[in-house]
Amino acid sequence: MSSTTRDRRRARRYALERELAPHVDPAWTEAVLLELRIQGVAGELIGEVLGEVDSHCAESGEAAREAFGDPIAYARELGLPPSPAQRPAATVRGVLPTLAQLAGMFLTLWSVPGLASAGAVEITVGQALAAVVAATALLLFAGRPEPVLRGIVRRPVLGTLAFGAASAALVVPLLLLQRTLVVLPATVTVAAGLALLVLGVVVELARARRPDDADPVVAPLQDEGAVARRRRVDGRVRLLGVMLVPAWTVVVGLLLWWLAG
Amino acid sequence: MVIDDAEWPSEWLRGVLAVCVLRVLADGPTYGYAIAATLADRGLGPVKGGTLYPLLKRLEDAGWVVTEWRAGDGGPGRKYYAMTEAGRDELRRSAALWDAFATVTSTIVADGASRPSRTEEELV
């Protein structure tokens, strides 16, 4: 990789950090920002913390690590309160539409071969168990994300491997428990799957319309125009995210239909 | 003996920083770096940002200071700290307590720097 590509990538990676604290080493800023986010501190407060560090370093000419020490220790020392927008209940509520979409997607895709052959869909014990375990794990994670997030931030490679191993472990009961739980006509399961998908998308779109949920990290005294611009960009990104699962379902569904036909 | 302010024991500084910061704020609202610079000028030595700002946050949580962001001229904005009525009472209380404490300790330690001491050699 040429040095300019690396520089460009580094510039993109630290864009937010440089914007919020131009006089501070962006890696230091990123560490503080991540730690405060993991603690669930409100975006506005995070912006204030970074603004104050930036102001101090700009005037004293000191480096952040020299004046403030270890970034994670500093973030902890401040003892900032978690924001209600980031409370477990709010996060779990936020995750539910995605869960519904994912469940809908799997149900729909599983039903496509059955639909193509005008047959029935067999739901095994393994599938039902895997669904329950996956949903529970996701809800638990949404409720208490800090330990997992800290683990992944501190040890990205190990964290990702562990996550992959846990996902693989989910597949084992899926494959072993082959006993049929229930047999449903494919039209029923497809209808249920699509209903879940649509429900999830509708709820998420309704939420995306309310920008207050976003809680972006903004610099203090930032003018209304910049905040509005940041909200618009975040909104666009969120809208794209909402359409991901339905789009994926359509693409894979069509593929499966074509393969089965 | 030359007193070099970089040599104050950190445990002493930790105990006295809050009342010193309150005293600086009694002269009028100001921002973090200015407080650190004032304390350094008055001989307390360099105060690290990592120590000062969490302390200011604790003073705010206790209700002794309030904060306000002001736009800087050309530079980044600054967070100004101003003392409250409760803060004024706390300063009066702490400063009086410190005076008494300093008097007591000075009496105990009096002429310890110059007086000859009886050391362990005399135990033998």
Side-chain angles (χ1 to χ4, degrees), chain A residues 23 47-49 51-52 54-56 58-62 66-69 74 77-81 220-221, chain B residues 31-33 36 47-54 56-58 61 67 69-72 76-79 81:
Chain A
H23 301 88
E48 283 199 20
V49 169
E52 208 168 23
D54 181 58
S55 182
H56 185 103
E59 241 172 303
S60 67
E62 288 175 297
E66 184 193 326
F68 291 85
Y74 180 65
E77 187 69 24
L78 288 170
L80 289 167
L221 300 179
Chain B
Y31 57 99
Y33 180 67
V47 180
K48 288 287 162 206
T51 316
L52 178 64
Y53 292 99
L56 286 166
K57 174 83 183 31
R58 288 196 290 276
D61 289 344
T67 64
W69 274 90
R70 295 193 201 168
R78 294 183 185 135
K79 192 175 191 181
Y81 296 84

mmCIF file of all heavy atoms in Angstrom, chain A residues 23 47-49 51-52 54-56 58-62 66-69 74 77-81 220-221, chain B residues 31-33 36 47-54 56-58 61 67 69-72 76-79 81:
data_model
loop_
_atom_site.group_PDB
_atom_site.id
_atom_site.type_symbol
_atom_site.label_atom_id
_atom_site.label_comp_id
_atom_site.label_asym_id
_atom_site.label_seq_id
_atom_site.Cartn_x
_atom_site.Cartn_y
_atom_site.Cartn_z
ATOM 1 N N HIS A 23 -6.314 20.138 17.663
ATOM 2 C CA HIS A 23 -4.984 20.308 18.238
ATOM 3 C C HIS A 23 -4.532 19.092 19.023
ATOM 4 O O HIS A 23 -3.547 19.150 19.750
ATOM 5 C CB HIS A 23 -4.959 21.537 19.160
ATOM 6 C CG HIS A 23 -5.329 22.808 18.466
ATOM 7 N ND1 HIS A 23 -6.619 23.257 18.345
ATOM 8 C CD2 HIS A 23 -4.569 23.716 17.822
ATOM 9 C CE1 HIS A 23 -6.644 24.383 17.663
ATOM 10 N NE2 HIS A 23 -5.411 24.683 17.327
ATOM 11 N N GLY A 47 -18.711 15.776 23.074
ATOM 12 C CA GLY A 47 -18.188 16.916 22.319
ATOM 13 C C GLY A 47 -17.562 17.948 23.240
ATOM 14 O O GLY A 47 -16.514 18.526 22.933
ATOM 15 N N GLU A 48 -18.185 18.196 24.406
ATOM 16 C CA GLU A 48 -17.652 19.171 25.359
ATOM 17 C C GLU A 48 -16.311 18.726 25.923
ATOM 18 O O GLU A 48 -15.379 19.527 26.042
ATOM 19 C CB GLU A 48 -18.640 19.365 26.508
ATOM 20 C CG GLU A 48 -19.809 20.236 26.140
ATOM 21 C CD GLU A 48 -20.531 20.789 27.356
ATOM 22 O OE1 GLU A 48 -19.937 20.813 28.451
ATOM 23 O OE2 GLU A 48 -21.688 21.193 27.185
ATOM 24 N N VAL A 49 -16.216 17.435 26.279
ATOM 25 C CA VAL A 49 -14.959 16.919 26.829
ATOM 26 C C VAL A 49 -13.832 17.120 25.827
ATOM 27 O O VAL A 49 -12.759 17.643 26.153
ATOM 28 C CB VAL A 49 -15.089 15.420 27.176
ATOM 29 C CG1 VAL A 49 -13.733 14.823 27.490
ATOM 30 C CG2 VAL A 49 -16.035 15.227 28.340
ATOM 31 N N GLY A 51 -13.738 19.153 23.310
ATOM 32 C CA GLY A 51 -13.504 20.572 23.073
ATOM 33 C C GLY A 51 -12.606 21.174 24.134
ATOM 34 O O GLY A 51 -11.718 21.984 23.836
ATOM 35 N N GLU A 52 -12.823 20.754 25.394
ATOM 36 C CA GLU A 52 -12.018 21.305 26.480
ATOM 37 C C GLU A 52 -10.558 20.834 26.372
ATOM 38 O O GLU A 52 -9.633 21.613 26.584
ATOM 39 C CB GLU A 52 -12.606 20.881 27.823
ATOM 40 C CG GLU A 52 -12.308 21.887 28.907
ATOM 41 C CD GLU A 52 -13.104 21.643 30.158
ATOM 42 O OE1 GLU A 52 -13.547 20.504 30.377
ATOM 43 O OE2 GLU A 52 -13.261 22.601 30.928
ATOM 44 N N ASP A 54 -9.052 19.970 23.640
ATOM 45 C CA ASP A 54 -8.478 20.665 22.488
ATOM 46 C C ASP A 54 -8.084 22.091 22.854
ATOM 47 O O ASP A 54 -6.980 22.548 22.528
ATOM 48 C CB ASP A 54 -9.506 20.684 21.349
ATOM 49 C CG ASP A 54 -8.958 21.368 20.122
ATOM 50 O OD1 ASP A 54 -7.920 20.902 19.618
ATOM 51 O OD2 ASP A 54 -9.552 22.361 19.674
ATOM 52 N N SER A 55 -8.971 22.786 23.556
ATOM 53 C CA SER A 55 -8.702 24.165 23.952
ATOM 54 C C SER A 55 -7.458 24.237 24.827
ATOM 55 O O SER A 55 -6.602 25.107 24.659
ATOM 56 C CB SER A 55 -9.926 24.706 24.705
ATOM 57 O OG SER A 55 -9.732 26.039 25.057
ATOM 58 N N HIS A 56 -7.337 23.308 25.792
ATOM 59 C CA HIS A 56 -6.195 23.304 26.699
ATOM 60 C C HIS A 56 -4.898 23.037 25.954
ATOM 61 O O HIS A 56 -3.892 23.714 26.166
ATOM 62 C CB HIS A 56 -6.422 22.234 27.779
ATOM 63 C CG HIS A 56 -5.374 22.225 28.843
ATOM 64 N ND1 HIS A 56 -5.570 22.757 30.092
ATOM 65 C CD2 HIS A 56 -4.104 21.752 28.846
ATOM 66 C CE1 HIS A 56 -4.479 22.614 30.823
ATOM 67 N NE2 HIS A 56 -3.572 21.996 30.085
ATOM 68 N N ALA A 58 -4.326 23.457 22.778
ATOM 69 C CA ALA A 58 -4.023 24.546 21.841
ATOM 70 C C ALA A 58 -3.297 25.666 22.564
ATOM 71 O O ALA A 58 -2.330 26.228 22.053
ATOM 72 C CB ALA A 58 -5.315 25.067 21.220
ATOM 73 N N GLU A 59 -3.739 25.993 23.792
ATOM 74 C CA GLU A 59 -3.154 27.107 24.502
ATOM 75 C C GLU A 59 -1.846 26.751 25.198
ATOM 76 O O GLU A 59 -0.930 27.568 25.278
ATOM 77 C CB GLU A 59 -4.155 27.657 25.526
ATOM 78 C CG GLU A 59 -4.494 29.079 25.241
ATOM 79 C CD GLU A 59 -5.613 29.592 26.092
ATOM 80 O OE1 GLU A 59 -6.710 28.987 26.052
ATOM 81 O OE2 GLU A 59 -5.390 30.577 26.795
ATOM 82 N N SER A 60 -1.755 25.541 25.750
ATOM 83 C CA SER A 60 -0.547 25.184 26.488
ATOM 84 C C SER A 60 0.541 24.684 25.562
ATOM 85 O O SER A 60 1.713 24.671 25.930
ATOM 86 C CB SER A 60 -0.871 24.103 27.517
ATOM 87 O OG SER A 60 -1.205 22.904 26.849
ATOM 88 N N GLY A 61 0.155 24.246 24.362
ATOM 89 C CA GLY A 61 1.128 23.700 23.431
ATOM 90 C C GLY A 61 1.566 22.297 23.801
ATOM 91 O O GLY A 61 2.442 21.722 23.159
ATOM 92 N N GLU A 62 0.941 21.736 24.850
ATOM 93 C CA GLU A 62 1.319 20.385 25.259
ATOM 94 C C GLU A 62 0.595 19.355 24.408
ATOM 95 O O GLU A 62 -0.477 19.608 23.860
ATOM 96 C CB GLU A 62 0.913 20.148 26.720
ATOM 97 C CG GLU A 62 1.750 20.894 27.731
ATOM 98 C CD GLU A 62 1.179 20.686 29.134
ATOM 99 O OE1 GLU A 62 0.042 21.115 29.368
ATOM 100 O OE2 GLU A 62 1.879 20.074 29.949
ATOM 101 N N GLU A 66 0.632 13.991 27.261
ATOM 102 C CA GLU A 66 1.505 14.578 28.271
ATOM 103 C C GLU A 66 0.680 15.311 29.320
ATOM 104 O O GLU A 66 0.927 15.208 30.510
ATOM 105 C CB GLU A 66 2.444 15.543 27.537
ATOM 106 C CG GLU A 66 3.506 16.207 28.358
ATOM 107 C CD GLU A 66 4.138 17.350 27.559
ATOM 108 O OE1 GLU A 66 4.250 17.212 26.319
ATOM 109 O OE2 GLU A 66 4.480 18.374 28.174
ATOM 110 N N ALA A 67 -0.343 16.054 28.860
ATOM 111 C CA ALA A 67 -1.120 16.881 29.783
ATOM 112 C C ALA A 67 -2.233 16.095 30.468
ATOM 113 O O ALA A 67 -2.588 16.389 31.603
ATOM 114 C CB ALA A 67 -1.722 18.074 29.038
ATOM 115 N N PHE A 68 -2.812 15.115 29.767
ATOM 116 C CA PHE A 68 -3.984 14.431 30.293
ATOM 117 C C PHE A 68 -3.737 12.968 30.615
ATOM 118 O O PHE A 68 -4.577 12.319 31.221
ATOM 119 C CB PHE A 68 -5.157 14.542 29.305
ATOM 120 C CG PHE A 68 -5.707 15.931 29.175
ATOM 121 C CD1 PHE A 68 -5.139 16.837 28.297
ATOM 122 C CD2 PHE A 68 -6.768 16.334 29.960
ATOM 123 C CE1 PHE A 68 -5.634 18.127 28.188
ATOM 124 C CE2 PHE A 68 -7.275 17.619 29.859
ATOM 125 C CZ PHE A 68 -6.709 18.515 28.972
ATOM 126 N N GLY A 69 -2.591 12.427 30.191
ATOM 127 C CA GLY A 69 -2.281 11.055 30.522
ATOM 128 C C GLY A 69 -2.996 10.054 29.628
ATOM 129 O O GLY A 69 -3.362 10.363 28.507
ATOM 130 N N TYR A 74 -8.383 8.903 31.701
ATOM 131 C CA TYR A 74 -8.969 10.240 31.787
ATOM 132 C C TYR A 74 -10.480 10.175 31.611
ATOM 133 O O TYR A 74 -11.237 10.783 32.374
ATOM 134 C CB TYR A 74 -8.352 11.170 30.732
ATOM 135 C CG TYR A 74 -8.911 12.570 30.766
ATOM 136 C CD1 TYR A 74 -8.710 13.391 31.868
ATOM 137 C CD2 TYR A 74 -9.648 13.080 29.700
ATOM 138 C CE1 TYR A 74 -9.223 14.672 31.914
ATOM 139 C CE2 TYR A 74 -10.168 14.364 29.730
ATOM 140 C CZ TYR A 74 -9.950 15.151 30.845
ATOM 141 O OH TYR A 74 -10.470 16.421 30.889
ATOM 142 N N GLU A 77 -11.934 8.899 34.763
ATOM 143 C CA GLU A 77 -11.773 9.830 35.877
ATOM 144 C C GLU A 77 -12.864 10.889 35.880
ATOM 145 O O GLU A 77 -13.263 11.381 36.936
ATOM 146 C CB GLU A 77 -10.392 10.503 35.759
ATOM 147 C CG GLU A 77 -10.002 11.385 36.923
ATOM 148 C CD GLU A 77 -9.732 10.615 38.186
ATOM 149 O OE1 GLU A 77 -9.400 9.419 38.078
ATOM 150 O OE2 GLU A 77 -9.887 11.185 39.268
ATOM 151 N N LEU A 78 -13.350 11.252 34.678
ATOM 152 C CA LEU A 78 -14.356 12.308 34.596
ATOM 153 C C LEU A 78 -15.682 11.893 35.218
ATOM 154 O O LEU A 78 -16.459 12.733 35.667
ATOM 155 C CB LEU A 78 -14.581 12.702 33.132
ATOM 156 C CG LEU A 78 -13.450 13.482 32.488
ATOM 157 C CD1 LEU A 78 -13.674 13.608 30.993
ATOM 158 C CD2 LEU A 78 -13.341 14.857 33.109
ATOM 159 N N GLY A 79 -15.961 10.595 35.234
ATOM 160 C CA GLY A 79 -17.184 10.120 35.864
ATOM 161 C C GLY A 79 -18.440 10.752 35.307
ATOM 162 O O GLY A 79 -19.297 11.228 36.045
ATOM 163 N N LEU A 80 -18.560 10.749 33.956
ATOM 164 C CA LEU A 80 -19.729 11.379 33.344
ATOM 165 C C LEU A 80 -20.924 10.440 33.400
ATOM 166 O O LEU A 80 -20.763 9.231 33.328
ATOM 167 C CB LEU A 80 -19.413 11.750 31.898
ATOM 168 C CG LEU A 80 -18.429 12.910 31.759
ATOM 169 C CD1 LEU A 80 -17.921 13.002 30.341
ATOM 170 C CD2 LEU A 80 -19.097 14.205 32.168
ATOM 171 N N PRO A 81 -22.134 11.014 33.515
ATOM 172 C CA PRO A 81 -23.325 10.174 33.636
ATOM 173 C C PRO A 81 -23.725 9.586 32.282
ATOM 174 O O PRO A 81 -23.546 10.238 31.255
ATOM 175 C CB PRO A 81 -24.390 11.153 34.132
ATOM 176 C CG PRO A 81 -23.973 12.470 33.582
ATOM 177 C CD PRO A 81 -22.474 12.463 33.534
ATOM 178 N N PRO A 220 -19.106 21.692 21.111
ATOM 179 C CA PRO A 220 -19.878 22.756 21.759
ATOM 180 C C PRO A 220 -19.828 24.021 20.910
ATOM 181 O O PRO A 220 -18.887 24.236 20.168
ATOM 182 C CB PRO A 220 -19.135 22.974 23.082
ATOM 183 C CG PRO A 220 -17.778 22.432 22.854
ATOM 184 C CD PRO A 220 -17.892 21.338 21.858
ATOM 185 N N LEU A 221 -20.828 24.848 20.974
ATOM 186 C CA LEU A 221 -20.904 26.099 20.236
ATOM 187 C C LEU A 221 -20.952 25.870 18.724
ATOM 188 O O LEU A 221 -20.765 26.794 17.958
ATOM 189 C CB LEU A 221 -19.696 27.013 20.525
ATOM 190 C CG LEU A 221 -19.488 27.451 21.960
ATOM 191 C CD1 LEU A 221 -18.261 28.302 22.079
ATOM 192 C CD2 LEU A 221 -20.693 28.219 22.454
ATOM 193 N N TYR B 31 -11.281 30.100 32.739
ATOM 194 C CA TYR B 31 -11.292 28.784 32.120
ATOM 195 C C TYR B 31 -10.102 27.955 32.583
ATOM 196 O O TYR B 31 -9.179 28.462 33.199
ATOM 197 C CB TYR B 31 -11.317 28.902 30.595
ATOM 198 C CG TYR B 31 -10.180 29.689 30.014
ATOM 199 C CD1 TYR B 31 -9.062 29.060 29.474
ATOM 200 C CD2 TYR B 31 -10.205 31.083 29.992
ATOM 201 C CE1 TYR B 31 -8.015 29.776 28.945
ATOM 202 C CE2 TYR B 31 -9.161 31.815 29.468
ATOM 203 C CZ TYR B 31 -8.067 31.153 28.944
ATOM 204 O OH TYR B 31 -7.027 31.867 28.418
ATOM 205 N N GLY B 32 -10.159 26.651 32.281
ATOM 206 C CA GLY B 32 -9.213 25.676 32.812
ATOM 207 C C GLY B 32 -7.752 26.048 32.676
ATOM 208 O O GLY B 32 -7.009 26.077 33.674
ATOM 209 N N TYR B 33 -7.323 26.350 31.452
ATOM 210 C CA TYR B 33 -5.900 26.603 31.268
ATOM 211 C C TYR B 33 -5.453 27.841 32.029
ATOM 212 O O TYR B 33 -4.337 27.885 32.571
ATOM 213 C CB TYR B 33 -5.562 26.754 29.776
ATOM 214 C CG TYR B 33 -4.105 27.008 29.562
ATOM 215 C CD1 TYR B 33 -3.173 26.026 29.858
ATOM 216 C CD2 TYR B 33 -3.639 28.253 29.131
ATOM 217 C CE1 TYR B 33 -1.829 26.259 29.709
ATOM 218 C CE2 TYR B 33 -2.290 28.488 28.975
ATOM 219 C CZ TYR B 33 -1.391 27.489 29.269
ATOM 220 O OH TYR B 33 -0.058 27.721 29.119
ATOM 221 N N ALA B 36 -4.830 26.844 35.597
ATOM 222 C CA ALA B 36 -3.556 26.142 35.728
ATOM 223 C C ALA B 36 -2.390 27.121 35.654
ATOM 224 O O ALA B 36 -1.425 27.027 36.433
ATOM 225 C CB ALA B 36 -3.435 25.083 34.633
ATOM 226 N N VAL B 47 0.094 22.166 36.958
ATOM 227 C CA VAL B 47 -1.075 21.336 37.245
ATOM 228 C C VAL B 47 -1.498 20.683 35.936
ATOM 229 O O VAL B 47 -1.836 21.361 34.977
ATOM 230 C CB VAL B 47 -2.242 22.182 37.802
ATOM 231 C CG1 VAL B 47 -3.433 21.290 38.100
ATOM 232 C CG2 VAL B 47 -1.801 22.915 39.049
ATOM 233 N N LYS B 48 -1.470 19.353 35.895
ATOM 234 C CA LYS B 48 -1.791 18.641 34.671
ATOM 235 C C LYS B 48 -3.285 18.723 34.374
ATOM 236 O O LYS B 48 -4.118 18.707 35.292
ATOM 237 C CB LYS B 48 -1.386 17.167 34.804
ATOM 238 C CG LYS B 48 0.104 16.942 34.765
ATOM 239 C CD LYS B 48 0.634 17.120 33.366
ATOM 240 C CE LYS B 48 2.134 17.332 33.340
ATOM 241 N NZ LYS B 48 2.601 18.075 32.198
ATOM 242 N N GLY B 49 -3.615 18.792 33.071
ATOM 243 C CA GLY B 49 -5.020 18.799 32.657
ATOM 244 C C GLY B 49 -5.754 17.576 33.175
ATOM 245 O O GLY B 49 -6.917 17.645 33.581
ATOM 246 N N GLY B 50 -5.052 16.421 33.179
ATOM 247 C CA GLY B 50 -5.665 15.186 33.641
ATOM 248 C C GLY B 50 -6.062 15.230 35.109
ATOM 249 O O GLY B 50 -6.914 14.449 35.542
ATOM 250 N N THR B 51 -5.460 16.141 35.879
ATOM 251 C CA THR B 51 -5.824 16.330 37.290
ATOM 252 C C THR B 51 -6.846 17.444 37.442
ATOM 253 O O THR B 51 -7.808 17.326 38.211
ATOM 254 C CB THR B 51 -4.585 16.717 38.122
ATOM 255 O OG1 THR B 51 -3.489 15.894 37.752
ATOM 256 C CG2 THR B 51 -4.859 16.590 39.602
ATOM 257 N N LEU B 52 -6.637 18.556 36.688
ATOM 258 C CA LEU B 52 -7.446 19.753 36.896
ATOM 259 C C LEU B 52 -8.894 19.575 36.459
ATOM 260 O O LEU B 52 -9.822 19.899 37.216
ATOM 261 C CB LEU B 52 -6.820 20.918 36.133
ATOM 262 C CG LEU B 52 -7.584 22.242 36.214
ATOM 263 C CD1 LEU B 52 -7.620 22.746 37.638
ATOM 264 C CD2 LEU B 52 -6.938 23.282 35.311
ATOM 265 N N TYR B 53 -9.118 19.059 35.240
ATOM 266 C CA TYR B 53 -10.483 19.023 34.716
ATOM 267 C C TYR B 53 -11.402 18.057 35.451
ATOM 268 O O TYR B 53 -12.563 18.384 35.705
ATOM 269 C CB TYR B 53 -10.465 18.770 33.203
ATOM 270 C CG TYR B 53 -9.876 19.942 32.454
ATOM 271 C CD1 TYR B 53 -8.565 19.925 32.026
ATOM 272 C CD2 TYR B 53 -10.636 21.090 32.230
ATOM 273 C CE1 TYR B 53 -8.013 21.019 31.381
ATOM 274 C CE2 TYR B 53 -10.094 22.181 31.592
ATOM 275 C CZ TYR B 53 -8.783 22.138 31.169
ATOM 276 O OH TYR B 53 -8.234 23.216 30.536
ATOM 277 N N PRO B 54 -10.911 16.844 35.829
ATOM 278 C CA PRO B 54 -11.784 16.019 36.687
ATOM 279 C C PRO B 54 -12.121 16.710 38.005
ATOM 280 O O PRO B 54 -13.243 16.588 38.497
ATOM 281 C CB PRO B 54 -10.941 14.759 36.919
ATOM 282 C CG PRO B 54 -10.058 14.677 35.728
ATOM 283 C CD PRO B 54 -9.718 16.105 35.395
ATOM 284 N N LEU B 56 -12.383 20.018 38.461
ATOM 285 C CA LEU B 56 -13.389 21.031 38.135
ATOM 286 C C LEU B 56 -14.762 20.383 37.958
ATOM 287 O O LEU B 56 -15.792 20.940 38.353
ATOM 288 C CB LEU B 56 -12.990 21.794 36.867
ATOM 289 C CG LEU B 56 -11.839 22.793 37.054
ATOM 290 C CD1 LEU B 56 -11.272 23.248 35.719
ATOM 291 C CD2 LEU B 56 -12.319 23.994 37.859
ATOM 292 N N LYS B 57 -14.771 19.177 37.376
ATOM 293 C CA LYS B 57 -16.043 18.457 37.208
ATOM 294 C C LYS B 57 -16.634 18.117 38.569
ATOM 295 O O LYS B 57 -17.837 18.223 38.787
ATOM 296 C CB LYS B 57 -15.783 17.183 36.380
ATOM 297 C CG LYS B 57 -16.963 16.261 36.244
ATOM 298 C CD LYS B 57 -17.885 16.711 35.129
ATOM 299 C CE LYS B 57 -19.140 15.909 34.935
ATOM 300 N NZ LYS B 57 -19.712 15.295 36.097
ATOM 301 N N ARG B 58 -15.764 17.701 39.516
ATOM 302 C CA ARG B 58 -16.261 17.368 40.860
ATOM 303 C C ARG B 58 -16.794 18.616 41.554
ATOM 304 O O ARG B 58 -17.810 18.555 42.253
ATOM 305 C CB ARG B 58 -15.142 16.725 41.698
ATOM 306 C CG ARG B 58 -14.803 15.311 41.261
ATOM 307 C CD ARG B 58 -14.014 14.580 42.318
ATOM 308 N NE ARG B 58 -12.662 15.098 42.479
ATOM 309 C CZ ARG B 58 -11.629 14.742 41.721
ATOM 310 N NH1 ARG B 58 -11.798 13.876 40.758
ATOM 311 N NH2 ARG B 58 -10.426 15.243 41.938
ATOM 312 N N ASP B 61 -20.165 19.161 40.099
ATOM 313 C CA ASP B 61 -21.131 18.196 40.633
ATOM 314 C C ASP B 61 -21.553 18.563 42.048
ATOM 315 O O ASP B 61 -22.690 18.321 42.451
ATOM 316 C CB ASP B 61 -20.535 16.778 40.641
ATOM 317 C CG ASP B 61 -20.411 16.212 39.236
ATOM 318 O OD1 ASP B 61 -21.055 16.767 38.328
ATOM 319 O OD2 ASP B 61 -19.669 15.239 39.065
ATOM 320 N N THR B 67 -20.820 26.255 34.809
ATOM 321 C CA THR B 67 -19.988 26.384 33.615
ATOM 322 C C THR B 67 -20.750 27.031 32.476
ATOM 323 O O THR B 67 -21.975 27.019 32.438
ATOM 324 C CB THR B 67 -19.484 25.013 33.145
ATOM 325 O OG1 THR B 67 -20.615 24.230 32.758
ATOM 326 C CG2 THR B 67 -18.724 24.305 34.224
ATOM 327 N N TRP B 69 -19.969 27.798 28.074
ATOM 328 C CA TRP B 69 -19.064 27.802 26.929
ATOM 329 C C TRP B 69 -19.086 29.172 26.271
ATOM 330 O O TRP B 69 -20.145 29.734 26.012
ATOM 331 C CB TRP B 69 -19.487 26.740 25.902
ATOM 332 C CG TRP B 69 -18.917 25.403 26.204
ATOM 333 C CD1 TRP B 69 -19.466 24.432 26.979
ATOM 334 C CD2 TRP B 69 -17.650 24.893 25.778
ATOM 335 N NE1 TRP B 69 -18.642 23.340 27.045
ATOM 336 C CE2 TRP B 69 -17.515 23.595 26.322
ATOM 337 C CE3 TRP B 69 -16.614 25.385 24.987
ATOM 338 C CZ2 TRP B 69 -16.396 22.795 26.099
ATOM 339 C CZ3 TRP B 69 -15.499 24.587 24.760
ATOM 340 C CH2 TRP B 69 -15.404 23.317 25.318
ATOM 341 N N ARG B 70 -17.896 29.710 26.033
ATOM 342 C CA ARG B 70 -17.821 30.987 25.326
ATOM 343 C C ARG B 70 -16.973 30.802 24.083
ATOM 344 O O ARG B 70 -15.956 30.112 24.108
ATOM 345 C CB ARG B 70 -17.169 32.051 26.215
ATOM 346 C CG ARG B 70 -17.999 32.381 27.429
ATOM 347 C CD ARG B 70 -17.497 33.642 28.103
ATOM 348 N NE ARG B 70 -17.929 33.703 29.484
ATOM 349 C CZ ARG B 70 -17.449 34.563 30.374
ATOM 350 N NH1 ARG B 70 -16.507 35.417 30.020
ATOM 351 N NH2 ARG B 70 -17.898 34.567 31.610
ATOM 352 N N ALA B 71 -17.387 31.439 22.994
ATOM 353 C CA ALA B 71 -16.631 31.331 21.756
ATOM 354 C C ALA B 71 -15.290 32.035 21.922
ATOM 355 O O ALA B 71 -15.200 33.110 22.473
ATOM 356 C CB ALA B 71 -17.419 31.957 20.609
ATOM 357 N N GLY B 72 -14.221 31.365 21.438
ATOM 358 C CA GLY B 72 -12.908 31.996 21.495
ATOM 359 C C GLY B 72 -12.731 32.907 20.291
ATOM 360 O O GLY B 72 -13.381 32.732 19.277
ATOM 361 N N PRO B 76 -10.335 27.831 19.418
ATOM 362 C CA PRO B 76 -11.454 27.007 19.853
ATOM 363 C C PRO B 76 -12.190 27.668 21.009
ATOM 364 O O PRO B 76 -11.631 28.479 21.726
ATOM 365 C CB PRO B 76 -10.802 25.703 20.288
ATOM 366 C CG PRO B 76 -9.393 26.054 20.573
ATOM 367 C CD PRO B 76 -9.041 27.210 19.693
ATOM 368 N N GLY B 77 -13.456 27.322 21.214
ATOM 369 C CA GLY B 77 -14.242 27.857 22.311
ATOM 370 C C GLY B 77 -13.662 27.414 23.632
ATOM 371 O O GLY B 77 -12.890 26.461 23.713
ATOM 372 N N ARG B 78 -14.011 28.149 24.731
ATOM 373 C CA ARG B 78 -13.512 27.815 26.055
ATOM 374 C C ARG B 78 -14.662 27.607 27.015
ATOM 375 O O ARG B 78 -15.679 28.298 26.944
ATOM 376 C CB ARG B 78 -12.649 28.941 26.594
ATOM 377 C CG ARG B 78 -11.354 29.156 25.830
ATOM 378 C CD ARG B 78 -10.590 30.238 26.531
ATOM 379 N NE ARG B 78 -9.392 30.620 25.844
ATOM 380 C CZ ARG B 78 -9.028 31.891 25.649
ATOM 381 N NH1 ARG B 78 -9.804 32.850 26.106
ATOM 382 N NH2 ARG B 78 -7.913 32.167 25.040
ATOM 383 N N LYS B 79 -14.473 26.671 27.938
ATOM 384 C CA LYS B 79 -15.482 26.414 28.964
ATOM 385 C C LYS B 79 -15.110 27.231 30.190
ATOM 386 O O LYS B 79 -14.087 26.990 30.820
ATOM 387 C CB LYS B 79 -15.497 24.927 29.297
ATOM 388 C CG LYS B 79 -16.668 24.500 30.132
ATOM 389 C CD LYS B 79 -16.637 22.984 30.284
ATOM 390 C CE LYS B 79 -17.905 22.455 30.870
ATOM 391 N NZ LYS B 79 -17.835 20.996 31.037
ATOM 392 N N TYR B 81 -15.591 28.612 34.037
ATOM 393 C CA TYR B 81 -16.095 28.170 35.334
ATOM 394 C C TYR B 81 -16.318 29.388 36.211
ATOM 395 O O TYR B 81 -15.453 30.256 36.289
ATOM 396 C CB TYR B 81 -15.089 27.224 36.000
ATOM 397 C CG TYR B 81 -14.876 25.948 35.243
ATOM 398 C CD1 TYR B 81 -13.974 25.895 34.177
ATOM 399 C CD2 TYR B 81 -15.574 24.793 35.566
ATOM 400 C CE1 TYR B 81 -13.780 24.723 33.470
ATOM 401 C CE2 TYR B 81 -15.381 23.618 34.873
ATOM 402 C CZ TYR B 81 -14.484 23.588 33.818
ATOM 403 O OH TYR B 81 -14.308 22.428 33.123
#
